[in-house]
Amino acid sequence: MEEYELLGYAAVRSRLAPVSLAPATARRLVTKGWAEPYEMLTGLEAIRLTDEGMRAYARLV
């Protein structure tokens, strides 16, 4: 999955996306500052988009 697809997935789902969808892509989004690591109550690791990540997504749509 391309990083913009994962970015869009997270943006339309309250900023959260499971890392299991695309681990390498999730790491790239964190490295760029577009997302941060997030742990859900279930223990499933996820990323949460930062404000910068939401702005990046807004430029795409």
Side-chain angles (χ1 to χ4, degrees):
M1 181 182 290
E2 183 176 315
E3 63 187 28
Y4 293 110
E5 291 172 348
L6 186 58
L7 186 65
Y9 179 92
V12 299
R13 287 171 178 74
S14 300
R15 297 184 178 213
L16 291 177
V19 169
S20 61
L21 286 177
T25 300
R27 284 192 296 274
R28 281 196 305 274
L29 293 178
V30 170
T31 300
K32 286 184 170 188
W34 289 1
E36 57 192 18
Y38 183 85
E39 189 171 325
M40 299 169 65
L41 294 176
T42 61
L44 174 68
E45 289 196 22
I47 56 168
R48 181 180 185 281
L49 294 186
T50 60
D51 290 340
E52 185 177 343
M54 289 300 288
R55 284 192 294 276
Y57 173 72
R59 288 191 298 266
L60 296 174
V61 292

